[in-house]
Amino acid sequence: GENVEQHPSTLSVQEGDSAVIKCTYSDSASNYFPWYKQELGKRPQLIIDIRSNVGEKKDQRIAVTLNKTAKHFSLHITETQPEDSAVYFCAARGLTGGGNKLTFGTGTQLKVEL
Amino acid sequence: NAGVTQTPKFQVLKTGQSMTLQCAQDMNHEYMSWYRQDPGMGLRLIHYSVGAGITDQGEVPNGYNVSRSTTEDFPLRLLSAAPSQTSVYFCASSYSTVGNYGYTFGSGTRLTVV
C-alpha cells in the first residue's frame, strides 16, 4: 500500500518568514494530495489540495507543489502569522484498494514565534 | 448541515469493556472512514466504507468492528478494550468513492482505556 513520509516533525519560524513542509510518497499511481491543518484539540481541516495533473497550486499565502517524477510534494506558507501555528498533515490517495482512501504523513508541528 | 457528528467526545473504559463510537453525516457522502491519532504517528486508518453494506479493513483493524447499514451512519465497535486502544478517534467522510475529494472530519472522540 501507499506510504507517506513527512519532514520535518517540528518547525519553528519567526513571524513573517516562510515555512516549507515536505512529503514523499511511494505509490507512483497516487493521484490526489491534500494538506490538513489541525489546531490543538480540534479536528483536521483541509487547507489545500493538488491533483496529479497539476504541478503547483496557490491559495493566498499557501501553495503546494508536486513533483511526480521524484514522488514528493511540499506545502509552502509565506508571511507566516501566529494563527498559522498548528500541526500540518500531508496525505496521498493511492489507487490500490478501494474507495477514496488517504494515507497520512506523521505531521509537522509548526510554531510561529513573535 | 451538521457535517460529521461524533459521539461521545470523551470516554474512559476499563480493560475488557466494549463500546461503540458513533459517527453520523448528513452530507450524503458515500465514503466514510475511521482513523486513530496517536502522538508522532499521524492518522492511521482503521476501517472504511464505500457505501451502505460495504466495509473493508484499513491499516490497523485489529480489535475493531464496523458496519454500514445506512449511508448516514458508520459506528465503530471496540470488542474488548485494551490500553493500546487509548487514542483519539476521528471519523471522516467524503463525497465520492472514486473522486479526489478531501475529507470532512468529525470532532473526535478521546478514549482512555485503564
Side-chain angles (χ1 to χ4, degrees):
Chain A
E2 176 66 277
N3 182 52
V4 176
E5 295 190 359
Q6 183 173 347
H7 299 282
S9 56
T10 61
L11 179 59
S12 183
V13 299
Q14 293 293 119
E15 183 179 9
D17 287 349
S18 295
V20 180
I21 302 170
K22 299 181 179 181
C23 290
T24 60
Y25 61 98
S26 61
D27 185 353
S28 57
S30 289
N31 62 357
Y32 174 66
F33 307 91
W35 287 87
Y36 289 83
K37 175 183 180 182
Q38 185 179 29
E39 297 176 347
L40 187 63
K42 302 284 184 66
R43 73 192 78 189
Q45 293 198 307
L46 178 68
I47 56 171
I48 195 167
D49 56 15
I50 191 167
R51 288 154 175 73
S52 58
N53 60 346
V54 175
E56 183 176 2
K57 183 178 179 180
K58 285 185 178 181
D59 183 3
Q60 299 183 344
R61 295 188 297 107
I62 61 173
V64 57
T65 59
L66 171 65
N67 183 327
K68 286 193 299 181
T69 303
K71 291 190 286 187
H72 68 69
F73 56 113
S74 300
L75 178 71
H76 304 253
I77 306 175
T78 59
E79 301 174 20
T80 54
Q81 301 168 3
E83 53 265 37
D84 294 329
S85 295
V87 178
Y88 291 81
F89 291 98
C90 62
R93 179 182 178 270
L95 294 184
T96 55
N100 193 17
K101 193 164 51 174
L102 294 179
T103 299
F104 287 83
T106 51
T108 296
Q109 174 76 62
L110 173 64
K111 183 177 181 181
V112 180
E113 298 178 332
L114 297 173
Chain B
N1 286 351
V4 179
T5 303
Q6 279 185 246
T7 56
K9 293 191 183 303
F10 302 94
Q11 183 71 49
V12 179
L13 286 180
K14 293 183 179 180
T15 298
Q17 287 184 318
S18 63
M19 77 160 296
T20 299
L21 308 185
Q22 301 292 344
C23 176
Q25 52 89 11
D26 61 358
M27 298 172 286
N28 203 31
H29 284 176
E30 298 166 299
Y31 182 83
M32 297 185 74
S33 56
W34 278 100
Y35 285 83
R36 60 177 289 172
Q37 183 175 28
D38 302 293
M41 302 188 76
L43 293 151
R44 293 182 293 167
L45 181 64
I46 304 171
H47 285 286
Y48 66 97
S49 169
V50 300
I54 306 170
T55 64
D56 205 348
Q57 297 180 351
E59 183 185 356
V60 288
N62 292 342
Y64 308 95
N65 272 354
V66 292
S67 60
R68 184 95 180 269
S69 56
T70 67
T71 300
E72 295 77 21
D73 299 298
F74 190 46
L76 177 72
R77 296 182 186 84
L78 279 70
L79 308 174
S80 177
S84 61
Q85 294 179 302
T86 293
S87 187
V88 179
Y89 292 85
F90 286 101
C91 179
S93 70
S94 69
Y95 273 112
S96 172
T97 58
V98 295
N100 297 328
Y101 297 102
Y103 289 172
T104 300
F105 282 89
S107 57
T109 297
R110 184 173 294 276
L111 176 68
T112 302
V113 182
V114 297

